[in-house]
Amino acid sequence: MTSNTVSDGYEVNLRFVYGMRCIGIGKSPAQIFCALMNLPPPPAKFERLYTPIFKALDIISSRSMVNSVNKTVIENEHNKNIAIALDRTWQKRGHTSKNGVVTATSLDNGKVIDFECLSKYCFECKSTNKTCDNCQVNYHVFSAEMESEGALRNFSRSLPNYNVRYVQYLRDGDSKGFLRVQESNVYGDEFPVEKLECIGHVQKRMGARLRALKNNLKSTKLSDNKPISGLGRLTDAEILLLQKYYGLVIRRNVGKSVADMFNSIWAIYFHKLSTDENPQHALCPMEEESWCG
């Protein structure tokens, strides 16, 4: 087998190692894969190819994020005060992960504009039992605080790296990251950071609260001497419908008055309370696509 050569070795070896790492596989699983596929074994210097691959990815990702920021500013009418969404991912669930990534994406175009990798573990230090020259550990506190620390680091370098401010911050129900950024007053009193709520997460919380209520009252008789769940009562299917309607009315009233949204939300309650003998559809929407059937 022949392959083009590059400064760091054969191109096929670089591509193979890159592909294995993209799917979370290291040298040992790669050897098994090659054996099963009747392929030549992976390169002996498997781990040494990590460095050139990382350098190339670092350069490309940096260029891509700069371009994304520039496009965001243009789409924001050249206003450098932009809105972002922050999200995180961990190596494993729970608050014990040693590695985590917090990513910032533009709300204008959905492209990644920054990220922060946090790690409490260094393979080289662990294997040699001493601090290495290129230690990967950059976080030393509780794993549960990784998200808020990553958020703060993303915000703190927005001005020096991109000359922009993240003045609007979209997150899910967990507000630890926002509180950390707010307390740090990253941009001073002149540019406070505004927290935006994700409608999808608000909608999901509605369903979670109803399921918790149903579970807590499952053995309790209500005022009509009937359980909370059952035929014609608060079932899982009914909760899904209520959750769907709740998200729908919020989305349809974005940009309208608080009173309109308030009435639309209460319309769900009165709609479900309505009977043939006592109809209560006064607040229900009347347009053609109304959910009030």
Side-chain angles (χ1 to χ4, degrees):
M1 180 183 292
T2 60
S3 171
N4 296 329
T5 57
V6 292
S7 59
D8 296 296
Y10 289 106
E11 182 181 350
V12 66
N13 288 342
L14 282 168
R15 289 185 177 275
F16 179 79
V17 173
Y18 175 63
M20 293 295 102
R21 296 307 299 147
C22 282
I23 59 175
I25 290 178
K27 184 176 181 179
S28 295
Q31 290 174 330
I32 297 173
F33 172 80
C34 289
L36 292 173
M37 297 299 295
N38 197 24
L39 295 172
K45 300 177 180 179
F46 194 93
E47 289 86 358
R48 293 189 183 181
L49 295 178
Y50 291 173
T51 300
I53 290 173
F54 171 77
K55 289 180 179 178
L57 290 174
D58 187 44
I59 293 171
I60 295 300
S61 64
S62 297
R63 290 176 182 172
S64 175
M65 289 187 294
V66 169
N67 290 335
S68 297
V69 171
N70 292 336
K71 289 180 180 178
T72 299
V73 172
I74 292 172
E75 292 172 1
N76 198 35
E77 299 179 349
H78 297 278
N79 186 346
K80 294 187 176 182
N81 297 328
I82 63 176
I84 65 162
L86 277 184
D87 206 356
R88 80 288 190 196
T89 183
W90 313 124
Q91 186 177 11
K92 63 178 181 178
R93 287 189 171 187
H95 297 303
T96 59
S97 179
K98 295 184 181 296
N99 301 290
V101 181
V102 180
T103 307
T105 56
S106 167
L107 284 187
D108 291 287
N109 52 38
K111 294 185 177 180
V112 175
I113 58 178
D114 203 357
F115 67 91
E116 178 66 24
C117 295
L118 299 110
S119 179
K120 300 171 63 176
Y121 180 84
C122 178
F123 177 80
E124 191 171 342
C125 291
K126 185 71 173 178
S127 59
T128 59
N129 291 321
K130 61 180 181 180
T131 303
C132 62
D133 295 331
N134 189 29
C135 184
Q136 300 300 309
V137 176
N138 62 357
Y139 184 73
H140 301 276
V141 200
F142 298 110
S143 298
E145 302 297 325
M146 275 188 180
E147 181 179 0
S148 57
E149 177 65 23
L152 181 59
R153 293 185 188 184
N154 274 301
F155 273 82
S156 298
R157 60 171 173 256
S158 67
L159 276 173
N161 283 13
Y162 304 122
N163 194 28
V164 297
R165 298 181 185 87
Y166 306 149
V167 295
Q168 291 182 314
Y169 174 12
L170 176 66
R171 273 295 294 121
D172 56 19
D174 187 357
S175 60
K176 290 181 180 178
F178 172 72
L179 292 175
R180 181 80 181 276
V181 171
Q182 190 180 49
E183 290 169 359
S184 300
N185 199 20
V186 180
Y187 306 126
D189 296 334
E190 187 179 357
F191 299 99
V193 178
E194 176 188 2
K195 184 175 186 286
L196 304 179
E197 286 287 352
C198 173
I199 296 176
H201 282 91
V202 173
Q203 175 180 333
K204 187 168 69 174
R205 287 203 298 271
M206 168 72 158
R209 300 296 191 278
L210 288 174
R211 291 185 188 92
L213 177 67
K214 175 174 168 283
N215 186 59
N216 292 336
L217 298 178
K218 62 182 179 181
S219 58
T220 303
K221 298 290 185 180
L222 302 185
S223 58
D224 58 359
N225 203 34
K226 293 181 180 180
I228 191 171
S229 61
L231 184 63
R233 313 286 283 185
L234 188 64
T235 61
D236 288 337
E238 193 65 36
I239 290 174
L240 286 175
L241 278 177
L242 290 170
Q243 180 177 313
K244 176 182 176 181
Y245 294 154
Y246 185 62
L248 185 64
V249 297
I250 293 176
R251 290 183 176 90
R252 287 186 175 179
N253 284 276
V254 170
K256 297 182 181 179
S257 68
V258 175
D260 287 340
M261 185 176 292
F262 179 87
N263 290 333
S264 296
I265 291 173
W266 273 106
I268 303 171
Y269 171 79
F270 287 109
H271 175 85
K272 290 297 180 181
L273 194 65
S274 179
T275 62
D276 292 338
E277 295 76 19
N278 184 24
Q280 300 191 45
H281 299 286
L283 295 177
C284 291
M286 304 304 294
E287 61 265 20
E288 292 183 3
E289 298 181 359
S290 173
W291 45 262
C292 178

